[in-house]
Amino acid sequence: MSQNSPRKAVVLVSGGMDSAVTIAIAREQGYDVYALSVAYGQRHSAELEASERVSHVLGAVRHKTVSVDLRSIGGSALTADMDVPLDTDQVPGAEAIPVTYVPARNTIMLSIALGWAEVLGSSDIWCGVNAVDYSGYPDCRPAFIESFEQLANVATKAGVEGAGIRIHAPLMRMSKADIAREGQRLGIDFAVTVSCYQADAEGRACGHCDACRLRAQGFRDAGLPDPTRYI
């Protein structure tokens, strides 16, 4: 690759506000974005449709969706016949891990991204994980990202013989309000995103799950209008 060629970045995209801001930051830093979504058996397809929409609107070179059947192992309110908790009093970042945690989800998604990055000749993988205003998932913490990067660099040809692999998590220490403000600065229309755990077929949010409540609070704290479409 010549020094003048754009760098390639594989960016994990869920269709929510965090991954939209992550794409925009990567683009601002001069990367050609190859957006990757994972159909893992989640409760609805609205977020996958939003992923494709967000990737297109924000200028990704390509958007790919890979299917992995995590519903076959269950263990989460997002992949099994379990109710999504509504209107909980859970404090963001609390030690209790909620039933919306999907076992090994981010490990699996990053592993797929790692494989695609090797094929593309990319050294950079981006994801929108956050350890400030989040639901307490263990695979959204700095320790996980650091450990996965170490793994990537001993488990791949790119890590052993190439330039090495870097995992970028630019939102890790941002609050949801910070993320909302960053999105405004980058000109993102958050109306095209879907964050709700149980959005309807039109992508409208329930307004009561943890994802909805964290998102709404972020816009309130940022002093910005909430463009979310609610049921």
Side-chain angles (χ1 to χ4, degrees):
M1 179 183 295
S2 81
Q3 292 183 337
N4 295 324
S5 299
R7 295 171 294 171
K8 296 178 180 177
V10 174
V11 182
L12 284 169
V13 184
S14 68
M17 63 186 295
D18 294 354
S19 57
V21 172
T22 301
I23 289 179
I25 293 174
R27 293 269 291 128
E28 184 179 54
Q29 292 187 17
Y31 287 90
D32 275 353
V33 167
Y34 290 76
L36 175 66
S37 302
V38 180
Y40 60 85
Q42 53 265 67
R43 296 176 69 94
H44 58 76
S45 62
E47 72 174 44
L48 294 172
E49 294 166 2
S51 297
E52 184 171 358
R53 183 167 62 244
V54 165
S55 300
H56 174 74
V57 168
L58 294 179
V61 173
R62 184 177 174 188
H63 175 254
K64 176 190 290 290
T65 299
V66 174
S67 296
V68 179
D69 183 15
L70 297 187
R71 184 164 287 275
S72 66
I73 62 173
S76 167
L78 303 188
T79 57
D81 294 329
M82 303 164 59
D83 291 335
V84 171
L86 303 178
D87 298 317
T88 65
D89 293 325
Q90 181 167 327
V91 177
E95 291 185 5
I97 299 173
V99 295
T100 50
Y101 162 71
V102 179
R105 177 177 59 180
N106 283 352
T107 304
I108 291 166
M109 289 182 172
L110 279 171
S111 296
I112 296 169
L114 177 59
W116 198 25
E118 277 209 285
V119 171
L120 292 170
S122 168
S123 299
D124 299 278
I125 298 169
W126 292 61
C127 60
V129 296
N130 173 270
V132 179
D133 286 344
Y134 76 124
S135 295
Y137 302 154
D139 54 2
C140 288
R141 299 172 301 153
F144 166 71
I145 295 299
E146 293 163 7
S147 296
F148 191 91
E149 183 175 272
Q150 292 174 2
L151 169 67
N153 281 293
V154 298
T156 61
K157 181 177 180 179
V160 174
E161 297 182 356
I165 301 293
R166 293 177 294 275
I167 309 297
H168 303 257
L171 312 187
M172 181 63 77
R173 292 176 173 83
M174 288 187 182
S175 68
K176 268 290 187 286
D178 293 334
I179 293 167
R181 284 189 286 262
E182 182 71 350
Q184 183 187 48
R185 181 187 73 80
L186 292 163
I188 296 172
D189 177 8
F190 283 122
V192 303
T193 66
V194 172
S195 300
C196 180
Y197 289 145
Q198 51 182 9
D200 68 8
E202 297 178 26
R204 295 178 300 179
C206 73
H208 299 281
C209 67
D210 284 351
C212 280
R213 297 179 75 197
L214 286 170
R215 175 178 168 126
Q217 188 63 50
F219 284 117
R220 283 195 294 271
D221 291 346
L224 296 173
D226 183 353
T228 307
R229 295 181 302 125
Y230 292 100
I231 296 173

